[in-house]
Amino acid sequence: MSEIPLHWNLVLSAFLFTIGIVGVLTRRNTLVIYMSVELMLNAANLALVAFSRQWRHLDGQVMVFFVMTVAAAEVAVGLGLIVAIFRNREHTVDVDSMNVMKW
């Protein structure tokens, strides 16, 4: 069974990270920005796993578990905030309408 070369994983990781950056910088919808941040985290996870496999160390995979834990906490808090903002501000999640920190 042939292994996937390291550079293919890194190219895919860089591509996914670039899509995430473009999503964060160009979109106005809070949910799309949130998904773009998650895409960037998963791209970093892919790179960590690829390097971990290449060098035969488990450190990268352990780090991925920490990143996944932080991402799960981010999902819980972030979606709660987005739902609260949606309910209290004219039913929109547009970033431009969120220019003040109070309701």
Side-chain angles (χ1 to χ4, degrees):
M1 187 168 138
S2 64
E3 291 186 14
I4 298 173
L6 176 64
H7 66 276
W8 287 13
N9 288 325
L10 295 180
V11 167
L12 177 63
S13 175
F15 181 69
L16 291 175
F17 197 83
T18 303
I19 290 173
I21 287 176
V22 169
V24 167
L25 295 178
T26 60
R27 302 303 295 248
R28 298 287 99 199
N29 189 331
T30 308
L31 287 174
V32 174
I33 292 171
Y34 195 69
M35 287 188 300
S36 298
V37 170
E38 292 295 324
L39 188 61
M40 288 190 293
L41 283 173
N42 286 324
N45 284 342
L46 178 62
L48 284 172
V49 168
F51 281 123
S52 174
R53 184 170 178 226
Q54 177 71 22
W55 292 324
R56 310 256 187 246
H57 286 282
L58 292 179
D59 298 342
Q61 294 178 14
V62 171
M63 191 66 186
V64 167
F65 282 120
F66 285 121
V67 171
M68 289 171 65
T69 305
V70 170
E74 176 197 348
V75 166
V77 173
L79 284 180
L81 286 172
I82 290 171
V83 168
I85 290 169
F86 179 78
R87 286 181 180 169
N88 291 319
R89 290 198 181 183
E90 301 170 2
H91 297 289
T92 181
V93 289
D94 187 28
V95 175
D96 292 332
S97 67
M98 297 180 205
N99 54 3
V100 292
M101 294 295 290
K102 63 180 182 178
W103 282 299

